[in-house]
């Protein structure tokens, strides 16, 4: 047995991967999909869905057929940040209301539609979240409005009607069996976004 210094084979630093595997080449990294696509976040799709809510009289329901939760999460965080700027820490309250509102609207719609209803909870949460955009805008505008007075209630009423109309049209378009119950669905959506607006103006 020899203990000479030069007897052991030496390897150059960085000549192999950790664990002895092959070193990945740059071509393998170029073939990898973008990180946002792997996470299921598509910014262009979120932008199209958000723009479709901006017109309260004609909501493009085609872009909402493929439901996602990344856009509603962005709107939820935006609403929470605007509320934080107003001095209200309501992250848990807003998230809880979104969950309860989605389950409430899901149950109401499927009870009304019966066997004809094909609405799942994921699509319902996506629609409720994207239609939260008018409430987010109301939260941003309320930062510059004086406390108290009737003008806050008038402006909040406009944004609530906007959100209610958008959510009702999307619910009827995305799922079957809701056209004949449009009035009741609109009433449920009105209750949901009224609660969110009350959270903003008080």
């Amino acid at each position: 047995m020899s203990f000479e210094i030069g007897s052991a084979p030496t390897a150059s630093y960085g000549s192999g991967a950790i664990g002895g595997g092959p070193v990945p080449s740059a071509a393998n990294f170029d073939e990898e999909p973008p990180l946002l696509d792997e996470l299921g976040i598509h910014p262009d799709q979120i932008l199209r869905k958000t723009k479709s809510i901006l017109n309260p009289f004609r909501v493009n329901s085609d872009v909402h057929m493929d439901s996602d939760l990344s856009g509603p999460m962005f709107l939820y965080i935006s609403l929470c940040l605007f509320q934080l700027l107003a001095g209200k820490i309501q992250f848990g309250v807003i998230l809880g209301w979104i969950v309860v509102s989605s389950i409430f609207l899901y149950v109401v719609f499927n009870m009304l539609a019966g066997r004809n209803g094909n609405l799942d909870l994921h699509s319902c949460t996506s629609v409720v979240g994207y239609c939260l955009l008018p409430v987010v805008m109301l939260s941003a505008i309320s930062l510059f409005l004086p406390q108290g007075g009737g003008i806050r209630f008038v402006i909040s009423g406009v944004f609530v009607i906007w959100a209610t109309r958008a959510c009702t049209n999307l619910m009827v378009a995305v799922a079957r069996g809701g056209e004949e119950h449009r009035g009741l669905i609109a009433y449920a959506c009105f209750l949901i976004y009224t609660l969110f607006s009350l959270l903003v103006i008080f």
Side-chain angles (χ1 to χ4, degrees):
M1 179 178 272
S2 155
F3 294 100
E4 296 180 5
I5 296 176
S7 62
T10 59
S12 61
Y13 179 74
S15 62
I18 298 175
V23 179
S25 63
N28 292 337
F29 288 117
D30 293 339
E31 295 172 0
E32 288 288 328
L35 179 61
L36 291 179
D37 289 344
E38 289 187 1
L39 295 175
I41 301 173
H42 307 285
D44 53 344
Q45 185 182 20
I46 294 173
L47 187 60
R48 285 198 305 269
K49 289 183 178 182
T50 306
K51 284 183 178 179
S52 69
I53 307 294
L54 291 176
N55 188 356
F57 301 103
R58 185 180 178 184
V59 179
N60 186 9
S61 60
D62 295 335
V63 296
H64 290 271
M65 293 300 177
D66 185 17
S67 60
D68 70 290
L69 296 182
S70 53
M73 284 301 296
F74 173 74
L75 293 174
Y76 155 71
I77 294 173
S78 301
L79 179 59
C80 292
L81 290 178
F82 283 127
Q83 290 293 92
L84 187 62
L85 289 175
K88 306 171 186 175
I89 304 175
Q90 298 171 335
F91 288 86
V93 174
I94 295 174
L95 181 61
W97 282 14
I98 290 175
V99 173
V100 171
S101 300
S102 302
I103 296 174
F104 168 70
L105 195 58
Y106 166 75
V107 171
V108 167
F109 185 90
N110 286 308
M111 287 179 65
L112 291 173
R115 295 182 178 179
N116 296 326
N118 64 335
L119 180 69
D120 58 343
L121 187 58
H122 190 271
S123 300
C124 185
T125 307
S126 177
V127 170
V128 170
Y130 274 108
C131 293
L132 200 65
L133 177 63
V135 180
V136 175
M137 297 172 66
L138 172 64
S139 179
I141 293 173
S142 66
L143 295 174
F144 306 99
L145 294 178
Q147 294 291 331
I151 188 168
R152 293 175 68 91
F153 291 98
V154 173
I155 294 176
S156 64
V158 172
F159 282 97
V160 166
I161 293 173
W162 178 3
T164 301
R165 183 179 177 87
C167 187
T168 304
N169 291 337
L170 284 179
M171 290 292 292
V172 172
V174 168
R176 295 193 307 267
E179 185 64 41
E180 57 185 1
H181 305 292
R182 179 183 287 268
L184 293 175
I185 295 171
Y187 178 67
C189 295
F190 178 76
L191 291 178
I192 290 171
Y193 294 107
T194 299
L195 288 175
F196 280 110
S197 67
L198 292 176
L199 190 66
V200 170
I201 63 177
F202 286 114

